[in-house]
Amino acid sequence: MSTKKKLETFHISTYGCQMNLADSSTISSALLTRGYRRVADESQADLIVLNTCSVREKAEDRVFGRLGEIYKFKRRKPHMKVAVVGCMAQRLADELKEKVPHVDYVLGTDRQFQLPDVIEGIEGTSEVMTAFGHENIDAIRPVKENEYSGFVTISRGCDNFCTYCIVPYVRGREQSHSAEHIIEAVRKMVDEGVSEITLLGQNVNSYRHDGTDFPALLRRVARETDIKRLRYMTSHPKDLSRKLVDVMAEEPKLAPHVHLPLQSGSDRVLRQMGRVYTFKHYSKIVDYIRYRLPYVSITTDLIVGFPSETEQEYEMTLEAVREIRFDSAFMFRYSVRPGTTAARYEDDVPEDEKIRRLNKLIKLQQEIAHERNQREVNRVAMSLVEGTSRRSRQYARARTDGNKTVLFKSERPPVGSIIPIKIESADAFTLHGEPVEGER
């Protein structure tokens, strides 16, 4: 290594989606395996790793701001190294190193797992690495996120190229892990005490490896492992099949929750976005999901203010939300991402109009979420205990099978256990209940 003092400790911060969380766990495991020690206090680390997101400009701005704060640590500890990895590293690469000279390593989405080799100066590595492609994608070993839950990435990259999305450019073309690799990873986590696993992919529905499609993979994981609860995300409406819904209805380990991004209620805007489905098609999928699953939570993503979106088309999104009645939604106003197809469109919806549309949409969805959550009252929900409430240590926090937060009174919650909780009340964001003794 080029440093005079050996690097011994590291701190890793993660920005963005669950896939980034999964990748951070894998990077951390690789560093721990090589003898580095993880520390909670960033200022005490010899190596600071920022695993980054490029989906929105705000995510990148946060990283630039954080890098400015980290500089003061590096001034006090000249031997400290800073690594920026993941999507932002992939997109900006040399530009990032030029803008922030105190960044030592820039590793893209396919090279971030080589961080131990890079900091140790192994032959064939360099301080900036962004080439796509793995000789063996299954060499990337997933590890659990915490003591009771884990993420297993089933595919990497994306072939959809939605016009607003930077992901295919920063994560590359889609590659699927083998079913055996995924099942082995789930079994390993179960042996380590994990109760719930989420299978991850930019579009899990397009998973395919050696003739195994996503519904078949789900069925195999459910039947060939001892995992207690299984989730997945994210789905693309153009690929979500009735076969998948049937597997969800037939396999009790599969959580009754589907995250299905709609993005817009206007067919013309959907075409502009490159989404390759209509609202009618989307609505039929939802109808079949609700037909096959007596209880299901459906969540979504929505974008307002996309280039050329008219007031009438925005109203179509509101009407779609009223019709579908989502349990919750991630809602955003459109922002230009350089390098995407939509960046060439005229960003002609004024910012104050985007904000107005977003605020009105949020208000509507909150009203619907409150109404949807009332159906939870008196229901007994199997819930994974995650810890204490962030607001009061007298209350515990759990996540229901429908992926909703439920609080219950307990100063010593059985973290990691899946327990029955009877829901007693609900608002738009949180359920409140009491554990039910003797019921499973």
Side-chain angles (χ1 to χ4, degrees):
M1 291 191 301
S2 59
T3 53
K4 292 181 180 178
K5 186 177 185 298
K6 186 178 185 300
L7 304 183
E8 297 178 349
T9 58
F10 72 94
H11 177 93
I12 185 164
S13 296
T14 308
Y15 301 80
C17 66
Q18 286 92 340
M19 290 193 74
N20 278 11
L21 286 171
D23 288 346
S24 287
S25 295
T26 302
I27 294 167
S28 178
S29 178
L31 288 165
L32 290 167
T33 300
R34 296 283 268 270
Y36 299 92
R37 182 166 50 86
R38 188 169 186 171
V39 294
D41 186 348
E42 198 173 45
S43 66
Q44 301 302 310
D46 299 322
L47 170 68
I48 294 178
V49 184
L50 302 185
N51 189 3
T52 60
C53 174
S54 277
V55 170
R56 289 172 190 82
E57 185 177 3
K58 180 185 261 187
E60 293 186 345
D61 289 344
R62 286 178 62 204
V63 172
F64 277 120
R66 193 75 199 98
L67 287 170
E69 295 169 1
I70 287 170
Y71 182 59
K72 67 178 181 287
F73 300 146
K74 194 156 185 176
R75 289 183 64 183
R76 292 198 300 267
K77 296 170 62 175
H79 78 283
M80 175 186 279
K81 296 292 184 180
V82 179
V84 177
V85 305
C87 295
M88 182 175 168
Q90 186 72 44
R91 193 178 85 82
L92 297 179
D94 293 325
E95 180 186 342
L96 193 149
K97 196 100 159 52
E98 182 180 332
K99 285 184 176 180
V100 192
H102 62 277
V103 170
D104 300 283
Y105 312 117
V106 179
L107 304 181
T109 51
D110 264 10
R111 299 297 160 187
Q112 58 191 333
F113 309 108
Q114 295 177 261
L115 181 58
D117 289 344
V118 173
I119 62 180
E120 293 171 10
I122 300 298
E123 186 177 353
T125 65
S126 63
E127 294 180 347
V128 178
M129 296 174 65
T130 58
F132 284 125
H134 282 285
E135 291 182 8
N136 179 9
I137 187 175
D138 283 357
I140 303 171
R141 314 300 297 182
V143 295
K144 63 182 181 179
E145 173 62 17
N146 53 46
E147 292 304 312
Y148 53 82
S149 67
F151 299 116
V152 174
T153 300
I154 67 170
S155 62
R156 296 182 178 276
C158 184
D159 291 343
N160 285 316
F161 290 92
C162 301
T163 61
Y164 54 82
C165 185
I166 197 70
V167 167
Y169 304 97
V170 296
R171 284 196 170 266
R173 301 303 296 266
E174 187 173 294
Q175 302 176 80
S176 293
H177 287 280
S178 68
E180 287 68 28
H181 170 86
I182 294 161
I183 290 168
E184 179 191 342
V186 173
R187 285 174 177 161
K188 180 175 180 292
M189 290 188 190
V190 170
D191 289 343
E192 294 171 350
V194 166
S195 300
E196 177 182 285
I197 281 176
T198 303
L199 303 182
L200 297 175
Q202 300 301 146
N203 175 16
V204 291
N205 304 124
S206 60
Y207 172 89
R208 184 169 291 278
H209 191 282
D210 286 346
T212 300
D213 61 10
F214 185 57
L217 174 69
L218 271 183
R219 198 183 292 279
R220 285 194 62 185
V221 174
R223 294 186 176 182
E224 296 178 27
T225 75
D226 293 326
I227 190 64
K228 293 177 182 175
R229 189 154 76 188
L230 192 61
R231 300 184 184 276
Y232 64 86
M233 68 183 312
T234 293
S235 289
H236 194 299
K238 75 178 178 64
D239 297 315
L240 195 150
S241 65
R242 290 192 169 200
K243 181 181 175 184
L244 171 58
V245 180
D246 292 341
V247 170
M248 291 187 69
E250 294 160 7
E251 297 295 338
K253 290 181 179 179
L254 282 163
H257 169 230
V258 179
H259 186 74
L260 192 63
L262 171 60
Q263 306 301 8
S264 174
S266 161
D267 289 349
R268 189 197 69 82
V269 173
L270 288 172
R271 286 195 300 274
Q272 285 288 96
M273 290 178 168
R275 293 294 286 173
V276 204
Y277 56 84
T278 63
F279 176 66
K280 183 177 181 180
H281 173 82
Y282 185 98
S283 185
K284 283 183 177 180
I285 295 171
V286 171
D287 287 345
Y288 190 70
I289 292 170
R290 287 179 170 156
Y291 166 71
R292 289 290 280 134
L293 298 171
Y295 170 87
V296 68
S297 171
I298 298 178
T299 58
T300 197
D301 297 340
L302 298 162
I303 298 172
V304 300
F306 191 76
S308 78
E309 180 190 68
T310 66
E311 180 67 20
Q312 182 180 9
E313 288 167 333
Y314 163 67
E315 289 290 339
M316 293 170 77
T317 297
L318 296 181
E319 188 54 37
V321 170
R322 293 187 189 101
E323 180 180 327
I324 300 294
R325 311 201 78 73
F326 297 106
D327 288 82
S328 69
F330 294 104
M331 297 162 281
F332 310 95
R333 65 183 189 273
Y334 172 76
S335 62
V336 179
R337 301 308 293 129
T340 62
T341 300
R344 300 197 294 267
Y345 302 163
E346 182 184 356
D347 187 20
D348 55 357
V349 180
E351 187 66 13
D352 59 348
E353 177 60 18
K354 290 180 184 177
I355 293 170
R356 182 193 71 82
R357 292 181 187 183
L358 180 61
N359 288 339
K360 186 176 178 181
L361 175 62
I362 290 172
K363 183 175 183 295
L364 171 63
Q365 177 53 43
Q366 286 180 353
E367 292 170 354
I368 292 171
H370 183 274
E371 175 199 298
R372 292 286 294 172
N373 280 351
Q374 299 317 301
R375 73 186 178 128
E376 305 282 345
V377 176
N378 293 322
R379 176 176 176 262
V380 175
M382 298 306 297
S383 306
L384 175 65
V385 182
E386 298 181 324
T388 56
S389 167
R390 295 179 179 89
R391 294 187 177 181
S392 171
R393 290 198 166 274
Q394 293 184 335
Y395 285 84
R397 182 187 75 254
R399 198 149 40 91
T400 71
D401 48 0
N403 207 37
K404 301 187 179 192
T405 298
V406 56
L407 301 180
F408 62 97
K409 200 160 189 177
S410 175
E411 295 185 5
R412 298 183 65 184
V415 175
S417 299
I418 297 177
I419 64 173
I421 298 178
K422 185 175 182 180
I423 309 305
E424 297 180 336
S425 64
D427 56 35
F429 306 101
T430 310
L431 310 179
H432 303 267
E434 288 293 333
V436 179
E437 294 295 331
E439 186 167 336
R440 284 291 185 274

